PDB file of all heavy atoms in Angstrom:
ATOM      1  N   ILE A   1      45.586  56.956-105.532  1.00  0.00           N
ATOM      2  CA  ILE A   1      44.588  57.870-105.572  1.00  0.00           C
ATOM      3  C   ILE A   1      44.302  58.337-104.049  1.00  0.00           C
ATOM      4  O   ILE A   1      44.166  59.513-103.902  1.00  0.00           O
ATOM      5  CB  ILE A   1      43.237  57.283-106.184  1.00  0.00           C
ATOM      6  CG1 ILE A   1      43.392  57.067-107.616  1.00  0.00           C
ATOM      7  CG2 ILE A   1      42.078  58.111-105.869  1.00  0.00           C
ATOM      8  CD1 ILE A   1      42.348  56.093-108.307  1.00  0.00           C
ATOM      9  N   ILE A   2      44.308  57.404-103.099  1.00  0.00           N
ATOM     10  CA  ILE A   2      44.143  57.838-101.770  1.00  0.00           C
ATOM     11  C   ILE A   2      45.372  58.744-101.290  1.00  0.00           C
ATOM     12  O   ILE A   2      44.984  59.789-100.665  1.00  0.00           O
ATOM     13  CB  ILE A   2      44.107  56.561-100.818  1.00  0.00           C
ATOM     14  CG1 ILE A   2      42.758  55.855-101.155  1.00  0.00           C
ATOM     15  CG2 ILE A   2      44.265  56.904 -99.358  1.00  0.00           C
ATOM     16  CD1 ILE A   2      42.679  54.426-100.533  1.00  0.00           C
ATOM     17  N   ASP A   3      46.560  58.487-101.721  1.00  0.00           N
ATOM     18  CA  ASP A   3      47.700  59.336-101.338  1.00  0.00           C
ATOM     19  C   ASP A   3      47.509  60.750-101.977  1.00  0.00           C
ATOM     20  O   ASP A   3      47.849  61.715-101.358  1.00  0.00           O
ATOM     21  CB  ASP A   3      48.994  58.622-101.757  1.00  0.00           C
ATOM     22  CG  ASP A   3      49.421  57.423-101.062  1.00  0.00           C
ATOM     23  OD1 ASP A   3      48.782  57.219 -99.916  1.00  0.00           O
ATOM     24  OD2 ASP A   3      50.142  56.661-101.494  1.00  0.00           O
ATOM     25  N   LEU A   4      47.030  60.790-103.168  1.00  0.00           N
ATOM     26  CA  LEU A   4      46.792  62.124-103.817  1.00  0.00           C
ATOM     27  C   LEU A   4      45.739  62.916-103.039  1.00  0.00           C
ATOM     28  O   LEU A   4      45.891  64.087-102.918  1.00  0.00           O
ATOM     29  CB  LEU A   4      46.335  61.904-105.311  1.00  0.00           C
ATOM     30  CG  LEU A   4      47.385  61.330-106.215  1.00  0.00           C
ATOM     31  CD1 LEU A   4      46.712  61.128-107.678  1.00  0.00           C
ATOM     32  CD2 LEU A   4      48.534  62.278-106.409  1.00  0.00           C
ATOM     33  N   GLY A   5      44.742  62.206-102.567  1.00  0.00           N
ATOM     34  CA  GLY A   5      43.724  62.996-101.819  1.00  0.00           C
ATOM     35  C   GLY A   5      44.203  63.590-100.511  1.00  0.00           C
ATOM     36  O   GLY A   5      43.739  64.585-100.124  1.00  0.00           O
ATOM     37  N   ARG A   6      45.376  63.089 -99.931  1.00  0.00           N
ATOM     38  CA  ARG A   6      46.004  63.731 -98.833  1.00  0.00           C
ATOM     39  C   ARG A   6      46.567  64.972 -99.060  1.00  0.00           C
ATOM     40  O   ARG A   6      46.925  65.693 -98.190  1.00  0.00           O
ATOM     41  CB  ARG A   6      46.984  62.623 -98.215  1.00  0.00           C
ATOM     42  CG  ARG A   6      46.272  61.410 -97.651  1.00  0.00           C
ATOM     43  CD  ARG A   6      47.363  60.503 -96.952  1.00  0.00           C
ATOM     44  NE  ARG A   6      46.616  59.364 -96.394  1.00  0.00           N
ATOM     45  CZ  ARG A   6      46.922  58.122 -96.717  1.00  0.00           C
ATOM     46  NH1 ARG A   6      47.858  57.882 -97.665  1.00  0.00           N
ATOM     47  NH2 ARG A   6      46.222  57.091 -96.199  1.00  0.00           N
ATOM     48  N   LYS A   7      46.791  65.246-100.486  1.00  0.00           N
ATOM     49  CA  LYS A   7      47.472  66.561-100.830  1.00  0.00           C
ATOM     50  C   LYS A   7      46.436  67.666-100.831  1.00  0.00           C
ATOM     51  O   LYS A   7      46.849  68.843-100.987  1.00  0.00           O
ATOM     52  CB  LYS A   7      48.147  66.442-102.148  1.00  0.00           C
ATOM     53  CG  LYS A   7      49.340  65.354-102.175  1.00  0.00           C
ATOM     54  CD  LYS A   7      49.942  65.328-103.460  1.00  0.00           C
ATOM     55  CE  LYS A   7      51.043  64.433-103.667  1.00  0.00           C
ATOM     56  NZ  LYS A   7      51.702  64.559-104.913  1.00  0.00           N
ATOM     57  N   LEU A   8      45.171  67.248-100.890  1.00  0.00           N
ATOM     58  CA  LEU A   8      44.156  68.437-100.891  1.00  0.00           C
ATOM     59  C   LEU A   8      44.249  69.244 -99.675  1.00  0.00           C
ATOM     60  O   LEU A   8      44.293  68.813 -98.537  1.00  0.00           O
ATOM     61  CB  LEU A   8      42.789  67.790-101.019  1.00  0.00           C
ATOM     62  CG  LEU A   8      42.271  67.254-102.248  1.00  0.00           C
ATOM     63  CD1 LEU A   8      40.732  66.713-102.072  1.00  0.00           C
ATOM     64  CD2 LEU A   8      42.230  68.326-103.320  1.00  0.00           C
ATOM     65  N   GLU A   9      44.115  70.598 -99.941  1.00  0.00           N
ATOM     66  CA  GLU A   9      44.072  71.492 -98.774  1.00  0.00           C
ATOM     67  C   GLU A   9      42.694  71.396 -98.175  1.00  0.00           C
ATOM     68  O   GLU A   9      41.639  71.443 -98.929  1.00  0.00           O
ATOM     69  CB  GLU A   9      44.408  72.942 -99.249  1.00  0.00           C
ATOM     70  CG  GLU A   9      45.823  73.059 -99.773  1.00  0.00           C
ATOM     71  CD  GLU A   9      46.324  74.422 -99.570  1.00  0.00           C
ATOM     72  OE1 GLU A   9      45.772  75.206 -98.887  1.00  0.00           O
ATOM     73  OE2 GLU A   9      47.368  74.682-100.276  1.00  0.00           O
ATOM     74  N   PRO A  10      42.600  71.344 -96.907  1.00  0.00           N
ATOM     75  CA  PRO A  10      41.227  71.255 -96.230  1.00  0.00           C
ATOM     76  C   PRO A  10      40.496  72.570 -96.468  1.00  0.00           C
ATOM     77  O   PRO A  10      40.975  73.669 -96.588  1.00  0.00           O
ATOM     78  CB  PRO A  10      41.535  71.044 -94.788  1.00  0.00           C
ATOM     79  CG  PRO A  10      42.982  71.468 -94.592  1.00  0.00           C
ATOM     80  CD  PRO A  10      43.748  71.458 -95.911  1.00  0.00           C
ATOM     81  N   LEU A  11      39.161  72.430 -96.521  1.00  0.00           N
ATOM     82  CA  LEU A  11      38.185  73.530 -96.624  1.00  0.00           C
ATOM     83  C   LEU A  11      38.089  74.024 -95.117  1.00  0.00           C
ATOM     84  O   LEU A  11      38.128  73.292 -94.145  1.00  0.00           O
ATOM     85  CB  LEU A  11      37.027  73.128 -97.198  1.00  0.00           C
ATOM     86  CG  LEU A  11      36.976  72.735 -98.680  1.00  0.00           C
ATOM     87  CD1 LEU A  11      35.549  72.255 -99.109  1.00  0.00           C
ATOM     88  CD2 LEU A  11      37.502  73.786 -99.580  1.00  0.00           C
ATOM     89  N   ALA A  12      37.837  75.374 -94.978  1.00  0.00           N
ATOM     90  CA  ALA A  12      37.469  75.967 -93.713  1.00  0.00           C
ATOM     91  C   ALA A  12      36.156  75.420 -93.282  1.00  0.00           C
ATOM     92  O   ALA A  12      35.270  75.158 -94.162  1.00  0.00           O
ATOM     93  CB  ALA A  12      37.542  77.475 -93.886  1.00  0.00           C
ATOM     94  N   PRO A  13      35.888  75.269 -91.988  1.00  0.00           N
ATOM     95  CA  PRO A  13      34.584  74.747 -91.592  1.00  0.00           C
ATOM     96  C   PRO A  13      33.408  75.529 -92.137  1.00  0.00           C
ATOM     97  O   PRO A  13      32.270  74.921 -92.452  1.00  0.00           O
ATOM     98  CB  PRO A  13      34.689  74.883 -90.083  1.00  0.00           C
ATOM     99  CG  PRO A  13      36.172  74.827 -89.755  1.00  0.00           C
ATOM    100  CD  PRO A  13      36.755  75.453 -90.851  1.00  0.00           C
ATOM    101  N   GLU A  14      33.589  76.798 -92.241  1.00  0.00           N
ATOM    102  CA  GLU A  14      32.453  77.663 -92.697  1.00  0.00           C
ATOM    103  C   GLU A  14      32.237  77.468 -94.274  1.00  0.00           C
ATOM    104  O   GLU A  14      31.177  77.778 -94.761  1.00  0.00           O
ATOM    105  CB  GLU A  14      32.649  79.096 -92.527  1.00  0.00           C
ATOM    106  CG  GLU A  14      33.874  79.726 -93.099  1.00  0.00           C
ATOM    107  CD  GLU A  14      35.144  79.623 -92.261  1.00  0.00           C
ATOM    108  OE1 GLU A  14      35.100  78.975 -91.183  1.00  0.00           O
ATOM    109  OE2 GLU A  14      36.197  80.277 -92.641  1.00  0.00           O
ATOM    110  N   GLU A  15      33.135  76.816 -94.956  1.00  0.00           N
ATOM    111  CA  GLU A  15      32.968  76.621 -96.409  1.00  0.00           C
ATOM    112  C   GLU A  15      32.219  75.242 -96.608  1.00  0.00           C
ATOM    113  O   GLU A  15      31.752  74.937 -97.712  1.00  0.00           O
ATOM    114  CB  GLU A  15      34.375  76.432 -97.146  1.00  0.00           C
ATOM    115  CG  GLU A  15      35.043  77.804 -97.229  1.00  0.00           C
ATOM    116  CD  GLU A  15      36.441  77.766 -97.867  1.00  0.00           C
ATOM    117  OE1 GLU A  15      37.218  76.928 -97.363  1.00  0.00           O
ATOM    118  OE2 GLU A  15      36.706  78.373 -98.767  1.00  0.00           O
ATOM    119  N   MET A  16      32.166  74.304 -95.559  1.00  0.00           N
ATOM    120  CA  MET A  16      31.589  73.061 -95.593  1.00  0.00           C
ATOM    121  C   MET A  16      30.135  73.179 -95.233  1.00  0.00           C
ATOM    122  O   MET A  16      29.647  72.694 -94.305  1.00  0.00           O
ATOM    123  CB  MET A  16      32.233  72.116 -94.802  1.00  0.00           C
ATOM    124  CG  MET A  16      33.798  71.911 -95.107  1.00  0.00           C
ATOM    125  SD  MET A  16      34.786  71.057 -94.069  1.00  0.00           S
ATOM    126  CE  MET A  16      34.223  69.390 -94.214  1.00  0.00           C
ATOM    127  N   ARG A  17      29.426  74.053 -96.125  1.00  0.00           N
ATOM    128  CA  ARG A  17      27.974  74.368 -95.835  1.00  0.00           C
ATOM    129  C   ARG A  17      27.109  73.580 -96.847  1.00  0.00           C
ATOM    130  O   ARG A  17      27.605  73.006 -97.860  1.00  0.00           O
ATOM    131  CB  ARG A  17      27.782  75.788 -96.004  1.00  0.00           C
ATOM    132  CG  ARG A  17      28.272  76.459 -97.242  1.00  0.00           C
ATOM    133  CD  ARG A  17      28.232  77.921 -97.192  1.00  0.00           C
ATOM    134  NE  ARG A  17      28.498  78.497 -98.576  1.00  0.00           N
ATOM    135  CZ  ARG A  17      29.718  78.625 -99.130  1.00  0.00           C
ATOM    136  NH1 ARG A  17      30.726  78.537 -98.489  1.00  0.00           N
ATOM    137  NH2 ARG A  17      29.688  79.116-100.344  1.00  0.00           N
ATOM    138  N   ASP A  18      25.859  73.437 -96.520  1.00  0.00           N
ATOM    139  CA  ASP A  18      24.971  72.688 -97.400  1.00  0.00           C
ATOM    140  C   ASP A  18      24.947  73.161 -98.882  1.00  0.00           C
ATOM    141  O   ASP A  18      24.789  72.373 -99.761  1.00  0.00           O
ATOM    142  CB  ASP A  18      23.538  72.865 -96.838  1.00  0.00           C
ATOM    143  CG  ASP A  18      23.398  71.893 -95.524  1.00  0.00           C
ATOM    144  OD1 ASP A  18      24.392  71.162 -95.198  1.00  0.00           O
ATOM    145  OD2 ASP A  18      22.376  72.067 -94.878  1.00  0.00           O
ATOM    146  N   ASP A  19      24.975  74.500 -99.088  1.00  0.00           N
ATOM    147  CA  ASP A  19      24.897  74.861-100.517  1.00  0.00           C
ATOM    148  C   ASP A  19      26.121  74.540-101.427  1.00  0.00           C
ATOM    149  O   ASP A  19      26.217  74.724-102.569  1.00  0.00           O
ATOM    150  CB  ASP A  19      24.536  76.392-100.650  1.00  0.00           C
ATOM    151  CG  ASP A  19      25.694  77.349-100.113  1.00  0.00           C
ATOM    152  OD1 ASP A  19      26.438  76.877 -99.211  1.00  0.00           O
ATOM    153  OD2 ASP A  19      25.664  78.493-100.557  1.00  0.00           O
ATOM    154  N   ALA A  20      27.182  74.126-100.720  1.00  0.00           N
ATOM    155  CA  ALA A  20      28.449  73.719-101.366  1.00  0.00           C
ATOM    156  C   ALA A  20      28.440  72.138-101.542  1.00  0.00           C
ATOM    157  O   ALA A  20      29.392  71.670-102.215  1.00  0.00           O
ATOM    158  CB  ALA A  20      29.715  74.225-100.651  1.00  0.00           C
ATOM    159  N   LEU A  21      27.565  71.493-100.976  1.00  0.00           N
ATOM    160  CA  LEU A  21      27.534  70.056-101.068  1.00  0.00           C
ATOM    161  C   LEU A  21      26.983  69.696-102.563  1.00  0.00           C
ATOM    162  O   LEU A  21      25.980  70.150-102.947  1.00  0.00           O
ATOM    163  CB  LEU A  21      26.539  69.423-100.032  1.00  0.00           C
ATOM    164  CG  LEU A  21      27.175  68.926 -98.673  1.00  0.00           C
ATOM    165  CD1 LEU A  21      26.054  68.548 -97.722  1.00  0.00           C
ATOM    166  CD2 LEU A  21      28.184  67.850 -98.855  1.00  0.00           C
ATOM    167  N   LEU A  22      27.687  68.699-103.050  1.00  0.00           N
ATOM    168  CA  LEU A  22      27.281  68.144-104.361  1.00  0.00           C
ATOM    169  C   LEU A  22      26.162  67.097-104.178  1.00  0.00           C
ATOM    170  O   LEU A  22      26.362  66.163-103.342  1.00  0.00           O
ATOM    171  CB  LEU A  22      28.441  67.662-105.121  1.00  0.00           C
ATOM    172  CG  LEU A  22      29.462  68.615-105.593  1.00  0.00           C
ATOM    173  CD1 LEU A  22      30.500  67.877-106.493  1.00  0.00           C
ATOM    174  CD2 LEU A  22      28.948  69.735-106.269  1.00  0.00           C
ATOM    175  N   ASP A  23      25.187  67.133-105.114  1.00  0.00           N
ATOM    176  CA  ASP A  23      24.256  66.023-105.132  1.00  0.00           C
ATOM    177  C   ASP A  23      24.729  64.903-105.950  1.00  0.00           C
ATOM    178  O   ASP A  23      25.612  65.157-106.861  1.00  0.00           O
ATOM    179  CB  ASP A  23      22.932  66.540-105.862  1.00  0.00           C
ATOM    180  CG  ASP A  23      22.186  67.537-104.995  1.00  0.00           C
ATOM    181  OD1 ASP A  23      22.210  67.451-103.725  1.00  0.00           O
ATOM    182  OD2 ASP A  23      21.492  68.365-105.569  1.00  0.00           O
ATOM    183  N   GLY A  24      24.314  63.648-105.680  1.00  0.00           N
ATOM    184  CA  GLY A  24      24.687  62.600-106.525  1.00  0.00           C
ATOM    185  C   GLY A  24      25.937  61.809-106.013  1.00  0.00           C
ATOM    186  O   GLY A  24      26.375  60.852-106.586  1.00  0.00           O
ATOM    187  N   CYS A  25      26.499  62.292-104.902  1.00  0.00           N
ATOM    188  CA  CYS A  25      27.677  61.547-104.455  1.00  0.00           C
ATOM    189  C   CYS A  25      27.306  60.797-103.136  1.00  0.00           C
ATOM    190  O   CYS A  25      26.570  61.238-102.320  1.00  0.00           O
ATOM    191  CB  CYS A  25      28.722  62.711-104.017  1.00  0.00           C
ATOM    192  SG  CYS A  25      29.372  63.677-105.312  1.00  0.00           S
ATOM    193  N   GLN A  26      27.885  59.594-103.082  1.00  0.00           N
ATOM    194  CA  GLN A  26      27.716  58.728-101.963  1.00  0.00           C
ATOM    195  C   GLN A  26      28.320  59.311-100.745  1.00  0.00           C
ATOM    196  O   GLN A  26      27.621  59.377 -99.618  1.00  0.00           O
ATOM    197  CB  GLN A  26      28.245  57.335-102.170  1.00  0.00           C
ATOM    198  CG  GLN A  26      28.182  56.382-101.110  1.00  0.00           C
ATOM    199  CD  GLN A  26      28.844  55.040-101.317  1.00  0.00           C
ATOM    200  OE1 GLN A  26      29.526  54.939-102.401  1.00  0.00           O
ATOM    201  NE2 GLN A  26      28.734  54.149-100.395  1.00  0.00           N
ATOM    202  N   SER A  27      29.462  59.888-100.871  1.00  0.00           N
ATOM    203  CA  SER A  27      30.223  60.563 -99.834  1.00  0.00           C
ATOM    204  C   SER A  27      29.768  62.087 -99.818  1.00  0.00           C
ATOM    205  O   SER A  27      29.231  62.503-100.839  1.00  0.00           O
ATOM    206  CB  SER A  27      31.674  60.428 -99.930  1.00  0.00           C
ATOM    207  OG  SER A  27      32.065  59.101-100.101  1.00  0.00           O
ATOM    208  N   GLN A  28      30.193  62.760 -98.762  1.00  0.00           N
ATOM    209  CA  GLN A  28      29.925  64.161 -98.709  1.00  0.00           C
ATOM    210  C   GLN A  28      31.073  64.874 -99.561  1.00  0.00           C
ATOM    211  O   GLN A  28      32.177  64.487 -99.205  1.00  0.00           O
ATOM    212  CB  GLN A  28      29.890  64.673 -97.315  1.00  0.00           C
ATOM    213  CG  GLN A  28      28.594  64.324 -96.680  1.00  0.00           C
ATOM    214  CD  GLN A  28      28.514  65.001 -95.281  1.00  0.00           C
ATOM    215  OE1 GLN A  28      29.503  64.969 -94.424  1.00  0.00           O
ATOM    216  NE2 GLN A  28      27.405  65.627 -94.923  1.00  0.00           N
ATOM    217  N   VAL A  29      30.735  65.735-100.545  1.00  0.00           N
ATOM    218  CA  VAL A  29      31.784  66.325-101.320  1.00  0.00           C
ATOM    219  C   VAL A  29      31.248  67.828-101.374  1.00  0.00           C
ATOM    220  O   VAL A  29      30.205  68.119-101.777  1.00  0.00           O
ATOM    221  CB  VAL A  29      31.782  65.814-102.764  1.00  0.00           C
ATOM    222  CG1 VAL A  29      32.750  66.822-103.635  1.00  0.00           C
ATOM    223  CG2 VAL A  29      32.218  64.395-102.738  1.00  0.00           C
ATOM    224  N   TRP A  30      32.202  68.702-100.908  1.00  0.00           N
ATOM    225  CA  TRP A  30      31.992  70.194-101.030  1.00  0.00           C
ATOM    226  C   TRP A  30      32.796  70.676-102.096  1.00  0.00           C
ATOM    227  O   TRP A  30      33.946  70.476-102.154  1.00  0.00           O
ATOM    228  CB  TRP A  30      32.286  70.792 -99.616  1.00  0.00           C
ATOM    229  CG  TRP A  30      31.456  70.334 -98.456  1.00  0.00           C
ATOM    230  CD1 TRP A  30      30.306  70.907 -98.004  1.00  0.00           C
ATOM    231  CD2 TRP A  30      31.750  69.264 -97.587  1.00  0.00           C
ATOM    232  NE1 TRP A  30      29.867  70.194 -96.975  1.00  0.00           N
ATOM    233  CE2 TRP A  30      30.710  69.238 -96.589  1.00  0.00           C
ATOM    234  CE3 TRP A  30      32.782  68.273 -97.530  1.00  0.00           C
ATOM    235  CZ2 TRP A  30      30.679  68.212 -95.621  1.00  0.00           C
ATOM    236  CZ3 TRP A  30      32.755  67.340 -96.511  1.00  0.00           C
ATOM    237  CH2 TRP A  30      31.741  67.291 -95.613  1.00  0.00           C
ATOM    238  N   LEU A  31      32.172  71.537-102.887  1.00  0.00           N
ATOM    239  CA  LEU A  31      32.919  72.171-103.959  1.00  0.00           C
ATOM    240  C   LEU A  31      32.760  73.682-103.908  1.00  0.00           C
ATOM    241  O   LEU A  31      31.621  74.264-103.815  1.00  0.00           O
ATOM    242  CB  LEU A  31      32.334  71.648-105.363  1.00  0.00           C
ATOM    243  CG  LEU A  31      32.922  72.268-106.553  1.00  0.00           C
ATOM    244  CD1 LEU A  31      34.409  71.858-106.724  1.00  0.00           C
ATOM    245  CD2 LEU A  31      32.120  71.960-107.792  1.00  0.00           C
ATOM    246  N   ILE A  32      33.848  74.432-103.931  1.00  0.00           N
ATOM    247  CA  ILE A  32      33.841  75.929-103.846  1.00  0.00           C
ATOM    248  C   ILE A  32      34.432  76.324-105.160  1.00  0.00           C
ATOM    249  O   ILE A  32      35.500  75.930-105.583  1.00  0.00           O
ATOM    250  CB  ILE A  32      34.719  76.455-102.655  1.00  0.00           C
ATOM    251  CG1 ILE A  32      34.293  75.738-101.413  1.00  0.00           C
ATOM    252  CG2 ILE A  32      34.661  77.951-102.698  1.00  0.00           C
ATOM    253  CD1 ILE A  32      32.892  76.078-100.939  1.00  0.00           C
ATOM    254  N   ALA A  33      33.636  77.213-105.888  1.00  0.00           N
ATOM    255  CA  ALA A  33      34.086  77.702-107.176  1.00  0.00           C
ATOM    256  C   ALA A  33      34.336  79.289-107.054  1.00  0.00           C
ATOM    257  O   ALA A  33      33.409  80.001-106.416  1.00  0.00           O
ATOM    258  CB  ALA A  33      33.024  77.478-108.213  1.00  0.00           C
ATOM    259  N   ASP A  34      35.388  79.761-107.509  1.00  0.00           N
ATOM    260  CA  ASP A  34      35.787  81.202-107.517  1.00  0.00           C
ATOM    261  C   ASP A  34      36.251  81.595-108.837  1.00  0.00           C
ATOM    262  O   ASP A  34      36.698  80.803-109.580  1.00  0.00           O
ATOM    263  CB  ASP A  34      36.909  81.534-106.490  1.00  0.00           C
ATOM    264  CG  ASP A  34      36.338  81.343-105.021  1.00  0.00           C
ATOM    265  OD1 ASP A  34      35.237  81.841-104.680  1.00  0.00           O
ATOM    266  OD2 ASP A  34      37.104  80.634-104.260  1.00  0.00           O
ATOM    267  N   GLY A  35      36.297  82.876-109.145  1.00  0.00           N
ATOM    268  CA  GLY A  35      36.883  83.424-110.328  1.00  0.00           C
ATOM    269  C   GLY A  35      35.792  83.862-111.368  1.00  0.00           C
ATOM    270  O   GLY A  35      34.575  84.034-111.053  1.00  0.00           O
ATOM    271  N   ASP A  36      36.247  84.013-112.594  1.00  0.00           N
ATOM    272  CA  ASP A  36      35.415  84.417-113.695  1.00  0.00           C
ATOM    273  C   ASP A  36      35.778  83.674-114.949  1.00  0.00           C
ATOM    274  O   ASP A  36      36.597  82.750-114.851  1.00  0.00           O
ATOM    275  CB  ASP A  36      35.588  85.975-113.828  1.00  0.00           C
ATOM    276  CG  ASP A  36      37.026  86.403-114.162  1.00  0.00           C
ATOM    277  OD1 ASP A  36      37.738  85.584-114.780  1.00  0.00           O
ATOM    278  OD2 ASP A  36      37.292  87.559-113.983  1.00  0.00           O
ATOM    279  N   ALA A  37      35.265  84.114-116.032  1.00  0.00           N
ATOM    280  CA  ALA A  37      35.431  83.348-117.362  1.00  0.00           C
ATOM    281  C   ALA A  37      36.907  83.227-117.666  1.00  0.00           C
ATOM    282  O   ALA A  37      37.306  82.247-118.388  1.00  0.00           O
ATOM    283  CB  ALA A  37      34.535  83.978-118.384  1.00  0.00           C
ATOM    284  N   ASP A  38      37.789  84.253-117.305  1.00  0.00           N
ATOM    285  CA  ASP A  38      39.111  84.183-117.679  1.00  0.00           C
ATOM    286  C   ASP A  38      39.878  83.155-116.880  1.00  0.00           C
ATOM    287  O   ASP A  38      40.895  82.549-117.376  1.00  0.00           O
ATOM    288  CB  ASP A  38      39.676  85.520-117.441  1.00  0.00           C
ATOM    289  CG  ASP A  38      39.189  86.538-118.388  1.00  0.00           C
ATOM    290  OD1 ASP A  38      38.748  86.167-119.589  1.00  0.00           O
ATOM    291  OD2 ASP A  38      39.135  87.739-118.088  1.00  0.00           O
ATOM    292  N   ARG A  39      39.566  82.956-115.587  1.00  0.00           N
ATOM    293  CA  ARG A  39      40.182  81.987-114.796  1.00  0.00           C
ATOM    294  C   ARG A  39      39.362  81.567-113.608  1.00  0.00           C
ATOM    295  O   ARG A  39      38.834  82.340-112.854  1.00  0.00           O
ATOM    296  CB  ARG A  39      41.533  82.626-114.204  1.00  0.00           C
ATOM    297  CG  ARG A  39      42.308  81.571-113.406  1.00  0.00           C
ATOM    298  CD  ARG A  39      43.665  82.286-112.877  1.00  0.00           C
ATOM    299  NE  ARG A  39      44.242  81.524-111.916  1.00  0.00           N
ATOM    300  CZ  ARG A  39      45.254  80.626-112.206  1.00  0.00           C
ATOM    301  NH1 ARG A  39      45.626  80.500-113.434  1.00  0.00           N
ATOM    302  NH2 ARG A  39      45.805  79.878-111.315  1.00  0.00           N
ATOM    303  N   MET A  40      39.062  80.378-113.592  1.00  0.00           N
ATOM    304  CA  MET A  40      38.221  79.743-112.549  1.00  0.00           C
ATOM    305  C   MET A  40      39.047  78.843-111.599  1.00  0.00           C
ATOM    306  O   MET A  40      39.952  78.088-112.051  1.00  0.00           O
ATOM    307  CB  MET A  40      37.148  78.896-113.174  1.00  0.00           C
ATOM    308  CG  MET A  40      36.228  79.691-114.101  1.00  0.00           C
ATOM    309  SD  MET A  40      34.693  78.897-114.365  1.00  0.00           S
ATOM    310  CE  MET A  40      33.906  79.167-112.761  1.00  0.00           C
TER     311      MET A  40
END
């Protein structure tokens, strides 16, 4: 699992903003969603 995490592409610093932080996580987790109903 740790090795898989190393495959994640890093987010740009400007994407690591408070409104992208998920609540309920012990660690900091930023989630960016793009797209529409056809493809997210």
Side-chain angles (χ1 to χ4, degrees):
I1 292 169
I2 290 168
D3 291 343
L4 290 175
R6 292 185 181 119
K7 294 181 179 184
L8 281 179
E9 295 207 17
L11 297 176
E14 61 271 11
E15 293 176 307
M16 297 168 77
R17 56 189 191 273
D18 289 346
D19 66 334
L21 269 175
L22 293 183
D23 291 330
C25 296
Q26 176 183 7
S27 307
Q28 290 187 307
V29 176
W30 296 270
L31 177 68
I32 307 295
D34 291 311
D36 57 26
D38 292 331
R39 183 179 172 92
M40 301 197 71

